[in-house]
Structure formats: C-alpha cells, structure tokens
C-alpha cells in the first residue's frame, strides 16, 4: 500500500537501509547488524562490491572537484545517504571554501545523522525529501536559503537512479530538475548496471528487494536516455573508474567489473 | 592497481619515499580513503617520515607508532587489512631499508602502532555507533512529533468537520462519531456507540440502500453514496447525503466502514417548496397546469396497448367571469376564483385531481373512470356546488360554469387528444347556453374543430384584410323604397371561399379580434355610406352597423366613431349602431355611457334581435335607443296567405305598439313574402328587412338600386323574385 503523503515515514531499523549498507561498504561504522548482514550476503555473492562502492565514491569526489574547478560553488546532493567519509562539502570546500551544499535524502535516519554532523556548518543544509518530488525538494526553505538558482548549480544524483523504478519515470524527474537548472549547471550521475556482470546482478537486485529501496539496474542505453537534454562532459558515459581518473595509468584492466556507469552532463 | 612503471619497491635514495611508496601499494584498496592518489601518497609520506624518525632516534621512540595508528584511522584507513599489511610492511621494510639495528625499535613501534590503531578504531566505532543511534532516535523523535502533529490535525479535522463522520467495524458496530454527527442525530457519542448501522434504517429506505451496504461489507464495492432519511433521537426526520467507504488494512482486507454524512434536510425542504410552487397555483392552492399535465401523461405512459383503463376529465370555465373581473376589480375576481377552487376541491374524491389551468379555467382529472357516468355525476355535483351565490364585495354574486366532459379508454386516445376534446366540448357547452355540461361527441367535434381552425386563423385574416362588407336594404314598409342598409361582414377565406358571419363572429368575439374586425367594418360602411351621401344627398340610405359587446366596452369607441365620421365626412344621422338586446342589458355603466355619447352626436341606436333575450320591457324604457328590430322569428307565423294562429299577430302588434309608445322606430327582420310584408305594415311596422326586398349586396348594387328608385318586393310579385340573385 502506498503511504499517503501526509503520513510520516516510519523509522524501521529492523530493515537494512541502502544508506547504511553503503556506509558499511565504505568502511563506515554508522550501521547496524541488519545492514552488515545484508552487506555480508551481498559480498559473499559478489566480492568486488566494496570496490565498486569505493569506485563510486571516488568518482563522486573527482566529479565534485571537477565542478568546483569549473567555478561551481553550490551543490544539491540528492540521495546523499550518510555523509560519513569523503563528503561533498569537504571536497567542494577544499577547492572553494565558500561552496554551499544541500544534502537531500529520503531516509530519516540518514537525514537526522546528517543534521547532527553538519549542525555547525552554515554553508551546508539537509532536506528530508524524495528525489521524485521535485518541487518539494527545490522549494524547500533550506534549499532556497543556500542555493541561488539564477547561478550555475551542481546537481548530484549519484548511485540513486537505480533505486528509482521505471514507474516513477526517472527521466522525466531529471527533466524537471534540468528545467530548474540555469545554463552552466551540471548534473552528476552514477548508475548501477548489470552490463559488466549480468549473472550477479539478478541476485543483487533480489537482495535489495528486502530494503525500503529496491533496485532497478539499467543498461548503458537506458542510462544514456536518462541524460537526455544534457551535454556530456568528457569522457561521456563510462564505467566508474574511467571517468577522469586521478592517474590515467592507474585504471584497472577491466573497468567493466566496476559495474556502474558514471557521467557528468552540462546544461547549456 | 597496475604497478607504477620504473619504480622498485624500495628506493635506495630516500628511505622515506621508498617506504611511503611501498606502503601505498600495500594498503591500496584495503580501505576507502577519500583522497586523490597524490594526496594519499603525501599522507603516507608523512607517516613514513614519523616512523623512520622514531626508529632512528637515539634513543628510539617506538611510542610514535601509536600516533601513526591513530592517524591511519583518522584518514579512514579503517579496513582491518590495512593494519595487517602495515604491520607486515614495517616489520620487513624498516630493517631492510635502515639496517638490522633498527629491528628492536621497529618491532616495538609496530606494537604501539597496532595498539594506537585499535584504540582509535574503537573510539571511532563507538563514536559512529553512538552517532547513528542518536540519528535513529532523532529520526524517531521527529517521526513521532510528525505523527502527533498529524494525529492532532486529524483529530481537529474529525472534531471540527461540519460534515458528520462516523467509523464502524465490519459487524456494523459504531465505534466513533464526531460532534457534527452527534448534533445531526441528537445522540451522544456514547449512545451512538451502543448503536449499529442497522439501527439507522428508515422505513422509506429503498431496498437498494441495504443491498449496496451488503455489497460493501462483502468488499465487492469500496464506497457508495446516496441520500436517505434518518430518524433523530427525538423521532424527527432528517435527510442525509451519505457516503459510505470501506477502509481496508495493508493486506486489503475490509477493516472498517467510514460514513460521511451531510444533513441536506434544509435543501430538501427548499426543494420540496420549489416543487410545490412549480406544481401549484399560488392563488387557489390547487394543482397547476404542469401538475395536471404531468399526472395525465403519467396515466397514459403507464398503460400498454392492451390496457382496459379509462380516464376522464371535466374541463370547466366560469361563465361571465371576465365581466365580474372587469366591473368589480381583480381582487373580487381573485376571491371568486379562490371560492370556486374551494368548492371544486370539496367536490372531488380519491383518484380525482382538481387543477387550475389558468384564468377562470379549471379541470378535474378522474383516473380510472370506468365509464362516463362518474364524470357526469361529478359535473352535476360541480354545477350544484357553484350554484349558491358567492358573498363577495358585499354582494351575492352568482357564478355559472360550463363544463366539457370527456371520458375515454386510455388506449383509444392520447393525453393531448383528450385535452383537445375537452376543450372543444367545453366550447360546445358554452355555445349550448352556458351553465351546463356537454359530453364529448366525436362527430360534433369535427364541426367544432373547423371553428377552432377558423378562430386560430382569424387574427392573420384580419391583418391581411380578408374581409369585405355587403349591405342588405332596410325598406320603408309604406312605400317599399330603400331607407337604409345593414352592413354585413363576409370573410373571403383563401381556401374555403366566402364565409358567413355565423362561422366566425363567435370565435372573433371570444378571441377579442372582434374589436379590430368591427373597427374595419365600421370604416368600410362609413366610406360607402359617404359615397352614397355624396350621390344622393338627403335621399342617401343610412348604414346600420353591428357592434359587439367587446367593442362597446372599449373606452375609445365613442371617440373612434366621432373620428371616423369626421374623416369620412358621413353625417352622424346616416349611421346607425346595432346592438343585441343581450349586449345592452348584460352590463350597466360604461356601455350605456357610450351609447349616450353616440346619440349625442346624432348617431342612432338600434336593438337587434329584439324579443329573443329576456326582454325586460320596463328596462327598455331607460335604454338610450331609437330603433327596435323585431327578431325574424316573430314574423315567421305571418308569412303564409292564411294565418294558422292569430296569436303571432297579437304579439307583433303589441311589440310594435310598445315601441311606438316609447317613440321608437320598429323594424321587422326576416321578411320573406308579400303577405308577410302587408301584414307587418298593417300592424304598424315602420321598416322591413329580408329576402322579399333584397339579399345582402355589394355597395355598387345598393347605389344602382337607389339610383333606380324603384320600390322593392312588390307585394304582387313572387316572393324573393326579381331582384334576388347576385
């Protein structure tokens, strides 16, 4: 049964949470037994998973750095999860001390944790919201107070879209964000895909059905379609480690094993 | 990671660089560290420097290992493999890089590093676990607050809603009701909780109401809405607009029933009121035409072709109501209609509906009449009920009525045919002399239909001037020469040919078009008479024109005639106005004043058809008239050579004597034979009119006749011979 919009979310720590499982993969300690149990099962099936997650986190770091280098100093990180390590504001503020970041997540625990962590930083804000409720996210007072939508903004939708099933039309949702983004803005996405490891992907999706956020992996073409309306920044839509590596020679021989796509698109 | 090209694991040049490089390779991928490769290298280089400084110091400072362990953890080297590889790396590489002398210090340092790392990781773990638990608590707190706020909002909504809301379980027990619901019913919430949904039954509930309810309980439908009546605690009724919805649990099983109820009693009352107004006559409170028509149509709509059902109507119209309304005023007229309505209402029984159709027309509908007798009985009762005078405006007013009675099998007719038949039959009853009923006769109706058709065509015919005027001479019985002519109107009907006034004067009077028609006849007659006046001077015939009651009550009649005489140049003494006895005596007041006005101008007044009405001979004395025209029926008995009955002569003689005594000219109508003319002359009649002398002729023929100057209807000649024709 779909929860009516007026009903508050429940805090159910008996179910694994994607945000906390991700934290665990990254070596974080903001997680519970139920999250670690799920992660353990996943890793048993797919030992590379922690490396994939780390690659994803590393891509986020590189992408934020790139955007900051392009002059972008305001970021909207949707599906930010638990900002445990390598947070967007840390990366961005390292390059641009005045950078402002708004974190958005649907998980109430992640939101509460983020608020506690960021309480002292006036340049960051946390919004409890749903990626698909575009107007609610964009018009939230916290968003409005930190982000000036008349100037280029970096919208980060990293490792989130595979939690948005087709029924909720992620392409259209991204389109609505695009409309709010002034020219010069950038969209950063990464997306889980079965393209590199189809045999494992099915089991993995089955595993996530137990969470509040089931998974929908997409093919390269499907991911490309989501980016409609954005001009992709070099090197385009590639496997996670291939996107502007710190050390080009350090890219593994089999980047497809990091079965996830990454891209940065510019709003012209 | 591929091995960086051109680098050996341990560089000989700088032990710190060499150690940092080897270290980076060892720990790569063991933990997620949010640093770019160069940053990572720099970080480890710092740590390598610390380590080498500590073991080379004199004395060595192995405690620095604890600091290195802490800094690894704080850089997020939290994977256990990181520690394992670091310990192994240092144990192997420090002696290899710095010589075997450092071995004891190296071992001590790896020990303190492991200890510092574990302590830092334990602290970090505790901190982060505490942080995430705090986050859970905060989120829960937030959620609870949101729930409370939400609950409070819903409580408020439930309590403050203007609409009644009630929650029941699937057994029909009422669990909760809001204050609006308690106000609506007058039950307290506790009393409600002792009720079941079934207790809210009302005898008027359609069976479908409870069928829907059963389907909802079975989960076949999720909601329904309807309007139904409920009893308040006091026993009073309310009308509620009810929406009942099924509330299901997460598995979709029906769990509760939710009722929303709006009290629409007021709206219903208003609607009923409006409905009453739409279907009732405000003056008499009787049903109106719409209600009657609806009821009649329903009778026909219900019946199939094999129906044996019969239906009847009494269509009733008051006699002389217009005169009362005009002379005594509308308020008296209205009170008369109210009284008539009351009496009619008293006459009817079950299955009979009295309605006011408009004006002074009423109708009684008898459903399931079983034969005309019941209708005739009803018509008799109605006439009897209306017979006693009505005490109104300080007078005892008598009101008569004519009734058209129709009674037919439903399958033989239609609602509109039935009403048309009733209309025609009413007309017949009036034509037969008022104060009576007539029963529908299909044969007779055809003639009446023709009259109706003519009546309907009259206004257009007048507008198109389809009428012309003929003149029938009035001769002096002394010398049989033309003294005057009576103007007689004819209708040149485009399809039916020339029609006589008997076919259209009646309808013209009823529709009121007689006023305009009469005006045109007067105009024609005066113009023709003026032509004769020009040609013959004093010898010109006067023209006698009939004026109807409706014309006589027109306030402008006198001035119109004066104007007409003025325009045509006709001498007033060349114009005679004919009125029937009934018209003269029907009303007092205005008509007589009009006559006085006309006489004052020199226009003569003749009483037409004298002796056919209720002649009030003494009244005649007061009337402003100059001529009486004896009705043709009086002269009928005088036509033969040998009289069979001397009484006719006596009557005519008496009337002539009376007329002469009042100084009036006496004209005999219907003179058809020479002997008749001779006798009338002998009895003292001054003038005669009839086929013996001439039929009605065009104006030109009259002029020719006057020009010739010959006497008409020579007593010696054959009756009707010679001049007849045309």
């Amino acid at each position: 049964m779909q929860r009516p919009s007026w009903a508050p979310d429940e805090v159910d720590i008996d179910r694994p949470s994607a945000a906390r499982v991700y934290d665990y993969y990254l070596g974080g300690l903001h997680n519970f037994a139920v999250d670690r149990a799920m992660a353990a099962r996943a890793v048993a099936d797919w030992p590379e998973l922690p490396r994939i997650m780390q690659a994803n986190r590393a891509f986020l770091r590189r992408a934020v750095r790139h955007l900051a280098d392009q002059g972008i100093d305001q970021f909207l990180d949707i599906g930010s999860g638990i900002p445990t390590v390598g947070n967007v504001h840390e990366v961005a503020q390292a390059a641009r001390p005045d950078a402002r970041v708004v974190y958005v997540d649907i998980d109430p625990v992640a939101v509460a944790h983020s608020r506690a962590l960021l309480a002292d930083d006036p340049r960051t804000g946390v919004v409890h919201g749903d990626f698909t409720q575009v107007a609610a996210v964009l018009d939230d007072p916290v968003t409005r107070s930190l982000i000036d939508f008349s100037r280029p903004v970096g919208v980060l939708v990293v490792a989130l879209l595979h939690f948005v099933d087709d029924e909720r039309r992620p392409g259209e949702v991204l389109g609505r964000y695009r409309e709010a983004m002034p020219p010069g803005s950038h969209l950063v996405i990464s997306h889980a895909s079965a393209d590199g490891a189809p045999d494992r992907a099915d089991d993995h999706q089955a595993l996530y059905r137990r969470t509040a956020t089931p998974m929908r992996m997409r093919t390269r073409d499907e991911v490309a379609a989501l980016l409609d309306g954005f001009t992709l920044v070099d090197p385009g839509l590639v496997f996670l480690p291939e996107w502007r590596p710190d050390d080009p020679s350090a890219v593994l021989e089999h980047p497809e094993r990091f079965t996830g796509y990454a891209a940065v698109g510019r709003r012209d | 990671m591929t091995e960086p090209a051109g680098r050996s694991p341990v560089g000989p040049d700088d032990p710190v660089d060499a150690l940092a490089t080897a270290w980076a390779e060892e720990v790569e991928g063991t933990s997620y560290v949010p640093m770019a490769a160069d940053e990572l290298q720099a970080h480890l280089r710092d740590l390598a420097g610390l380590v080498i400084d500590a073991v080379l110091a004199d004395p060595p400072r192995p405690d620095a290992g604890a600091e290195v362990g802490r800094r690894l953890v704080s850089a997020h080297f939290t994977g256990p493999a990181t520690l394992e590889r670091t310990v192994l790396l240092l144990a192997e590489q420090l002696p290899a890089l710095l010589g075997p002398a450092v071995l004891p210090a190296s071992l001590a340092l790896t020990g303190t590093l492991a200890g510092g790392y574990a302590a830092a990781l334990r602290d970090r773990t505790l901190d982060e676990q505490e942080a995430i638990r705090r986050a859970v608590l905060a989120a829960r707190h937030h959620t609870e607050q949101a729930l409370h706020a939400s609950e409070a909002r819903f409580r408020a909504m439930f309590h403050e809603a203007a609409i009644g809301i009630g929650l029941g379980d699937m057994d029909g027990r009422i669990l909760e009701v809001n204050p609006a619901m308690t106000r609506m019913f007058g039950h307290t919430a506790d009393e409600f909780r002792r009720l079941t949904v079934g207790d809210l039954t009302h005898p008027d509930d359609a069976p479908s109401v409870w069928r829907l309810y059963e389907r909802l309980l079975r989960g076949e439908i999720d909601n329904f809405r309807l309007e139904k009546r409920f009893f308040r605690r006091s026993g009073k009724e309310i009308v509620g607009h009810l929406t009942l919805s099924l509330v299901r649990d997460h598995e979709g099983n029906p769990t509760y029933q939710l009722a929303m109820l709006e009290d629409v009693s007021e709206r219903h009352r208003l609607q009923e009121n409006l409905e009453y107004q739409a279907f009732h006559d405000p003056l008499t409170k009787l049903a109106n035409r719409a209600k009657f028509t609806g009821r009649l149509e329903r009778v026909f709509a219900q019946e199939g072709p094999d129906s044996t059902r019969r239906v009847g109507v009494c269509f009733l119209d008051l006699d002389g109501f217009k005169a009362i309304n005009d002379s005594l005023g509308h308020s008296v007229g209205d009170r008369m209609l109210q009284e008539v309505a009351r009496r009619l209402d008293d006459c009817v029984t079950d299955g009979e509906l009295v309605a006011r159709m408009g004006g002074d027309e009423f109708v009684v509908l008898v459903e399931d009449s079983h034969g005309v007798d019941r209708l005739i009985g009803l018509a008799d009762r109605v006439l009897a009920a209306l017979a006693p005078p009505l005490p109104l405006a300080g007078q005892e007013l008598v009101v008569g009525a004519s009734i058209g009675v129709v009674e037919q099998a439903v399958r033989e007719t239609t609602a509109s045919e039935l009403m048309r038949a009733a209309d025609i039959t009413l007309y017949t009853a009036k034509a037969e002399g008022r104060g009576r009923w007539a029963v529908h006769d299909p044969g007779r109706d055809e003639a009446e239909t023709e009259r109706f058709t003519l009546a309907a065509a009259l206004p257009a015919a007048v507008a198109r001037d389809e009428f012309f005027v003929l003149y029938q001479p009035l001769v002096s019985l002394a010398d049989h020469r033309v003294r005057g002519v009576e103007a007689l109107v004819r209708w040149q009907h485009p399809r039916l040919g020339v029609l006589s006034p008997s076919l259209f004067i009646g309808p013209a009077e009823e529709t009121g078009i007689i006023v305009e028609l009469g005006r045109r006849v007067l105009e024609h007659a005066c113009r023709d008479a003026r032509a004769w006046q020009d040609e013959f001077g004093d010898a010109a015939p006067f023209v006698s024109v009939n004026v109807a009651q409706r014309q006589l009550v027109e306030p402008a009649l006198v001035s119109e005639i004066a104007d007409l005489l003025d325009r045509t140049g006709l001498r007033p003494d060349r114009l005679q106005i004919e009125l029937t006895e009934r018209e003269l005596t029907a009303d007092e007041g205005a008509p007589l004043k009009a006559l006085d006005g006309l006489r004052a101008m020199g226009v003569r007044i003749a009483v037409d058809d004298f002796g056919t009405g209720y002649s009030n001979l003494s009244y005649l004395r007061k009337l402003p008239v100059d001529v009486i025209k004896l009705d043709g029926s009086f002269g009928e008995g005088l036509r033969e050579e040998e009289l069979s009955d001397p009484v006719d002569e006596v009557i005519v003689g008496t009337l002539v004597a009376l007329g002469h005594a009042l100084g009036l000219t006496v004209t005999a109508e219907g003179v058809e034979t020479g002997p008749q003319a001779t006798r009338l002359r002998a009895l003292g009649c001054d003038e005669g009119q009839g086929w013996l002398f001439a039929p009605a002729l065009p104006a030109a023929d009259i002029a020719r006749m006057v020009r010739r100057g010959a006497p008409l209807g020579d007593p010696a000649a054959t009756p009707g011979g010679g001049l007849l024709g045309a």
Side-chain angles (χ1 to χ4, degrees):
Chain A
M1 205 169 107
Q2 179 98 28
R3 186 195 305 284
S5 61
W6 45 262
D9 290 308
E10 286 166 19
V11 176
D12 180 3
I13 57 165
D14 293 333
R15 291 174 88 188
S17 134
R20 294 192 304 262
V21 170
Y22 186 47
D23 173 73
Y24 176 74
Y25 284 137
L26 297 181
L29 303 158
H30 305 92
N31 44 67
F32 298 121
V34 63
D35 308 309
R36 294 189 288 273
M38 175 171 157
R41 282 193 56 179
V43 172
D45 291 345
W46 197 348
E48 293 94 336
L49 272 178
R51 299 292 295 267
I52 294 172
M53 302 297 181
Q54 291 172 16
N56 179 67
R57 196 68 176 170
F59 159 69
L60 171 65
R61 176 176 51 74
R62 297 196 301 276
V64 171
R65 174 71 63 82
H66 173 75
L67 263 51
D69 291 346
Q70 304 302 304
I72 290 177
D73 59 0
Q74 43 181 5
F75 296 85
L76 183 62
D77 182 2
I78 307 172
S80 49
I82 291 171
T84 160
V85 49
N87 294 316
V88 172
H89 72 284
E90 288 166 0
V91 179
Q93 286 169 1
R96 302 187 66 100
D98 57 343
R100 289 174 308 285
V101 180
V102 172
Y103 293 103
V104 180
D105 207 280
I106 196 170
D107 181 337
V109 176
V111 168
H113 183 258
S114 305
R115 284 190 177 133
L117 200 74
L118 303 171
D120 297 332
D121 186 344
R123 288 163 301 171
T124 62
V126 185
V127 171
H128 185 201
D130 179 345
F131 163 69
T132 60
Q133 306 295 314
V134 181
V137 169
L138 295 180
D139 294 338
D140 190 282
V142 172
T143 310
R144 288 281 155 192
S145 70
L146 288 168
I147 295 182
D148 172 2
F149 281 95
S150 67
R151 295 195 303 111
V153 57
V155 175
L156 316 176
V157 186
V158 172
L160 171 67
L161 292 166
H162 45 246
F163 295 122
V164 182
D165 58 21
D166 295 346
E167 218 169 86
R168 293 193 289 161
R169 302 178 183 279
E172 288 177 23
V173 175
L174 282 177
R176 287 202 288 283
Y177 283 104
R178 190 179 65 236
E179 283 161 24
M181 293 159 67
S185 295
H186 286 70
L187 171 72
V188 177
I189 70 153
S190 67
H191 199 300
S193 174
D195 286 358
D199 47 336
R200 286 164 177 174
D202 282 350
D203 291 344
H204 193 63
Q205 289 182 88
L207 210 52
Y208 265 89
R209 266 176 229 128
R210 293 163 48 214
T211 69
T213 48
M215 255 185 131
R216 161 75 166 94
M217 294 197 180
R218 290 188 173 83
T219 65
R220 188 177 197 286
D221 287 348
E222 287 174 327
V223 176
L226 297 177
L227 292 161
D228 203 32
F230 289 97
T231 305
L232 296 193
V233 167
D234 270 352
L237 179 61
V238 294
F239 286 112
L240 289 163
E242 296 175 317
W243 200 90
R244 295 184 181 241
D246 293 326
D247 177 359
S249 62
V251 175
L252 289 181
E253 282 167 25
H254 296 289
E256 74 279 4
R257 285 190 191 146
F258 294 86
T259 102
Y261 287 108
V264 175
R266 192 179 59 246
R267 168 95 152 101
D268 291 320
Chain B
M1 223 177 260
T2 51
E3 200 165 291
R7 275 197 195 173
S8 58
V10 178
D13 306 333
D14 178 1
V16 173
D17 278 348
L19 182 61
T21 303
W23 206 348
E25 280 174 25
E26 277 303 313
V27 299
E28 195 279 325
T30 56
S31 296
Y32 174 71
V33 182
M35 292 183 199
D38 51 346
E39 292 168 339
L40 179 62
Q41 189 85 30
H43 184 77
L44 288 176
R45 201 179 177 286
D46 286 351
L47 297 186
L50 273 179
V51 168
I52 288 175
D53 285 352
V55 294
L56 292 181
D58 188 20
R61 290 180 280 104
D63 287 354
E67 169 67 9
V68 174
R70 269 196 299 279
R71 286 179 66 174
L72 281 172
V73 171
S74 71
H76 209 261
F77 280 105
T78 53
T82 306
L83 178 62
E84 179 191 328
R85 294 195 187 177
T86 297
V87 168
L88 280 175
L89 175 91
L90 295 182
E92 282 172 19
Q93 293 293 333
L94 287 176
L97 284 170
L98 307 172
V102 299
L103 188 58
S106 298
L107 287 175
L109 182 133
T110 53
T112 60
L113 185 146
Y117 183 94
L121 188 60
R122 186 194 60 195
D123 287 350
R124 184 173 184 135
T125 302
L126 291 174
D127 285 351
E128 294 198 354
Q129 282 284 300
E130 188 173 338
I132 193 72
R133 288 193 184 280
R134 275 182 195 280
V136 168
L137 288 177
R140 280 205 172 133
H141 180 68
H142 187 262
T143 300
E144 269 165 29
Q145 276 187 323
L147 261 176
H148 276 132
S150 164
E151 164 99 11
R153 276 200 302 278
F154 278 89
R155 276 274 136 204
M157 220 162 84
F158 184 74
H159 272 271
E160 304 305 324
I163 203 167
I165 304 174
L167 191 71
D169 65 16
M170 297 311 291
D171 295 325
R173 274 191 296 270
I174 294 170
L175 304 175
E176 193 139 23
V177 289
N178 72 343
M181 194 74 117
T182 64
R183 283 194 298 274
M184 226 177 268
F185 280 83
H187 290 300
T188 65
D190 282 340
E191 284 167 341
F192 254 116
R193 279 189 275 270
R194 288 195 286 273
L195 294 178
T196 67
V197 174
D199 293 330
L200 304 178
T201 311
H202 187 282
D204 288 355
D205 290 345
S208 61
V209 173
W210 295 98
R211 274 203 299 274
L212 280 171
Y213 181 63
E214 292 300 325
R215 292 188 60 202
L216 182 113
L217 288 185
R218 286 197 298 270
E220 293 170 12
I221 50 173
D222 275 277
N223 56 67
F224 64 83
R225 41 179 81 195
L226 47 80
E227 259 175 33
K228 78 174 222 68
R229 293 178 186 279
F230 295 91
F231 285 117
R232 282 176 57 85
R233 190 177 196 274
S234 63
K236 244 185 79 185
E237 265 184 12
I238 57 169
V239 182
H241 181 92
L242 171 72
T243 305
L244 198 67
S245 309
L246 195 60
V247 180
R248 296 176 187 268
D249 65 12
H250 289 287
E251 273 83 48
N253 300 313
T255 313
Y256 297 109
Q257 43 178 319
L258 177 70
M260 280 184 284
L261 190 67
E262 189 184 359
D263 185 347
V264 293
S265 308
E266 204 50 47
R267 200 182 75 205
H268 255 255
R269 260 194 292 282
L270 190 66
Q271 203 170 320
E272 277 170 8
N273 213 349
L274 287 174
E275 224 157 85
Y276 181 87
Q277 284 172 18
F279 291 109
H280 287 83
D281 169 43
L283 178 66
T284 62
K285 312 291 181 220
L286 292 180
N288 65 5
R289 177 187 289 271
K291 175 153 185 182
F292 168 81
T293 308
R295 183 75 70 85
L296 182 63
E297 280 169 356
R298 203 181 64 195
V299 169
F300 282 88
Q302 284 165 350
E303 299 308 309
D306 299 329
S307 167
T308 56
R309 196 171 181 189
R310 299 182 70 83
V311 64
V313 295
C314 285
F315 195 28
L316 174 150
D317 177 297
L318 300 184
D319 297 332
F321 175 74
K322 184 174 174 6
I324 286 169
N325 216 20
D326 289 348
S327 57
L328 300 178
H330 288 294
S331 67
V332 173
D334 284 352
R335 275 151 62 201
M336 173 173 274
L337 290 173
Q338 286 169 333
E339 176 60 17
V340 165
R342 199 185 58 73
R343 292 186 186 187
L344 285 177
D345 211 28
D346 286 347
C347 289
V348 301
T349 57
D350 282 351
E352 299 174 350
L353 172 75
V354 191
R356 180 179 175 213
M357 300 295 272
D360 59 343
E361 285 180 354
F362 297 86
V363 67
V364 185
L365 171 67
V366 182
E367 294 180 47
D368 303 304
S369 47
H370 304 295
V372 77
D373 291 351
R374 176 165 170 191
L375 274 292
I376 290 173
L378 174 64
D380 280 334
R381 282 206 307 283
V382 166
L383 290 178
L386 297 181
L390 287 67
L392 289 174
Q395 310 180 38
E396 297 272 298
L397 293 176
V398 177
V399 64
S402 304
I403 304 178
V405 176
V406 182
E407 200 273 344
Q408 283 180 302
V410 167
R411 65 184 149 79
E412 283 172 357
T413 184
T414 65
S416 59
E417 273 178 35
L418 185 81
M419 284 318 292
R420 212 166 65 91
D423 210 6
I424 292 166
T425 310
L426 169 62
Y427 190 83
T428 306
K430 283 185 114 52
E432 284 175 355
R434 305 171 181 231
R436 67 187 68 197
W437 48 259
V439 175
H440 168 59
D441 170 351
R444 186 189 55 209
D445 279 357
E446 281 180 33
E448 296 292 352
T449 304
E450 187 67 26
R451 285 177 67 103
F452 268 129
T453 314
L454 290 180
L458 268 170
V462 170
R464 284 196 297 266
D465 212 2
E466 290 177 359
F467 298 85
F468 64 96
V469 180
L470 295 179
Y471 301 94
Q472 187 173 39
L474 296 155
V475 304
S476 160
L477 285 177
D479 58 9
H480 286 215
R481 287 180 208 282
V482 178
R483 300 255 300 255
V485 292
E486 179 179 354
L488 296 166
V489 65
R490 296 289 185 273
W491 181 358
Q492 182 67 53
H493 193 283
R495 191 165 49 78
L496 303 173
V498 176
L499 300 179
S500 95
S502 63
L503 288 174
F504 63 84
I505 290 298
E509 285 181 339
E510 279 151 25
T511 59
I513 194 74
I514 191 72
V515 175
E516 180 57 24
L517 181 59
R519 192 178 285 140
R520 294 190 182 215
V521 171
L522 262 171
E523 175 106 21
H524 264 285
C526 289
R527 287 193 189 287
D528 288 338
R530 162 67 202 249
W532 301 325
Q533 178 182 295
D534 287 348
E535 183 173 352
F536 308 113
D538 286 346
F542 65 84
V543 67
S544 187
V545 184
N546 291 280
V547 166
Q549 167 79 14
R550 291 286 286 264
Q551 288 172 274
L552 208 54
V553 299
E554 289 284 309
L557 181 71
V558 174
S559 61
E560 274 179 24
I561 289 176
D563 182 50
L564 181 60
L565 292 172
D566 202 39
R567 276 190 286 121
T568 57
L570 184 68
R571 280 161 43 192
D573 65 356
R574 297 291 90 184
L575 178 62
Q576 176 173 299
I577 296 296
E578 287 190 26
L579 301 154
T580 63
E581 195 180 351
R582 181 198 280 275
E583 285 157 358
L584 271 173
T585 56
D587 231 325
E588 293 179 64
L592 293 185
K593 279 211 191 79
L595 297 184
D596 285 336
L598 292 173
R599 288 184 86 215
M601 279 192 272
V603 175
R604 284 186 301 157
I605 308 294
V607 185
D608 200 6
D609 302 335
F610 185 78
T612 55
Y614 301 96
S615 300
N616 183 336
L617 297 179
S618 66
Y619 190 53
L620 187 62
R621 196 177 164 177
K622 299 182 203 160
L623 288 176
V625 298
D626 306 281
V627 179
I628 55 175
K629 293 180 80 177
L630 296 184
D631 190 69
S633 57
F634 291 111
E636 272 172 25
L638 307 178
R639 283 175 189 161
E640 307 304 319
E641 295 274 352
E642 300 294 325
L643 286 182
S644 49
D645 188 350
V647 173
D648 290 328
E649 273 196 305
V650 176
I651 291 173
V652 174
T654 307
L655 290 175
V656 172
L658 173 71
H660 285 172
L662 295 169
L664 307 175
T665 301
V666 180
T667 303
E669 297 178 310
V671 182
E672 296 186 356
T673 69
Q676 194 185 5
T678 307
R679 286 199 186 89
L680 289 167
R681 162 100 209 274
L683 290 168
C685 277
D686 303 293
E687 293 167 356
Q689 178 182 4
W691 281 47
L692 173 65
F693 308 111
L697 298 167
D701 288 0
I702 298 294
R704 265 199 299 281
M705 193 182 275
V706 176
R707 226 171 278 138
R708 197 159 62 234
L712 302 176
D714 187 332
T718 318
L723 284 164
L724 288 184

